[in-house]
Amino acid sequence: MRRLTSVLLSATLVAGALTVVSASPAAACAMATRKADVFRAMKQDQSMDAGVASASSGMETISLLTLNLEASKVKPVYRIGDTVSFDVAVTRPAKEDPLGNHVPMDRPYVQPAPGVIVGVGFHIGRVFLPGAAITGDDGIAHIKIKIESYAPKGTWSDTSMYAWKVVQETTCATIQEYGYTTAPHQFKTGS
């Protein structure tokens, strides 16, 4: 009896291994959650747990640090209610390794990055003021952010900038490039 159980167990394990080996990568990705399913479920106020969108480990996101951001100069002081207008130049490649390990790299060439989403945020004390734009063919994003009335006066603004673009998106994987920089004490709020 023990030998029969061992043989059955071995046969089951081998059959399971053959089934896994014969499955193609495309079949494994076919069960992955698609972005369209998630957005459709969100619009219809349906729960993701109700089987509307099936979750799977087939979806992968690969992020590469390939974008460099440089902001134009702004005035040293802006009054409450003013609009800060400035440009962010987005170019390729980044000044460090694509894996984001902070290893400096030479830039053998500089190329503008069109069609990149650029998000900017002013951190003025405890207030966060966001803005966003998409770069044109010249790789420039024109950002405008109003200094709202609830922003504190006489406070420095630390600026964060993030650039992001999806290069390829399939059912199995999303490949995206990004870049990030900060500008501490970029300007001060006046009265």
Side-chain angles (χ1 to χ4, degrees):
M1 183 68 171
R2 200 180 255 182
R3 186 174 184 164
L4 179 61
T5 305
S6 298
V7 170
L8 288 175
L9 180 59
S10 298
T12 304
L13 289 174
V14 169
L18 291 176
T19 304
V20 171
V21 170
S22 68
S24 69
C29 293
M31 296 301 294
T33 303
R34 293 180 308 161
K35 187 167 55 172
D37 294 333
V38 173
F39 286 131
R40 178 179 41 79
M42 288 170 60
K43 285 179 187 175
Q44 297 173 357
D45 292 329
Q46 294 175 322
S47 171
M48 296 295 127
D49 297 329
V52 174
S54 60
S56 168
S57 61
M59 184 61 100
E60 292 290 332
T61 301
I62 301 164
S63 298
L64 301 172
L65 178 60
T66 59
L67 301 175
N68 184 64
L69 289 83
E70 293 180 15
S72 63
K73 296 286 184 189
V74 297
K75 296 189 309 186
V77 178
Y78 285 90
R79 295 178 357 175
I80 303 298
D82 285 352
T83 299
V84 181
S85 297
F86 65 102
D87 295 334
V88 177
V90 182
T91 56
R92 290 184 187 94
K95 294 181 180 180
E96 62 183 89
D97 68 294
L99 298 178
N101 293 321
H102 306 291
V103 177
M105 295 184 69
D106 291 332
R107 299 174 79 191
Y109 64 93
V110 176
Q111 170 185 345
V116 175
I117 300 167
V118 178
V120 176
F122 294 153
H123 305 269
I124 306 172
R126 300 180 109 201
V127 173
F128 179 77
L129 302 174
I134 298 176
T135 60
D137 290 337
D138 56 357
I140 305 286
H142 306 288
I143 307 289
K144 292 183 179 185
I145 301 174
K146 182 180 177 185
I147 308 296
E148 299 292 344
S149 60
Y150 49 84
K153 297 176 184 173
T155 305
W156 283 104
S157 171
D158 296 328
T159 304
S160 298
M161 293 173 275
Y162 187 82
W164 171 69
K165 182 175 184 178
V166 173
V167 179
Q168 174 102 26
E169 188 171 33
T170 66
T171 307
C172 292
T174 299
I175 301 172
Q176 61 189 21
E177 56 182 338
Y178 74 98
Y180 179 83
T181 191
T182 59
H185 293 89
Q186 190 177 31
F187 64 87
K188 197 171 189 176
T189 56
S191 53

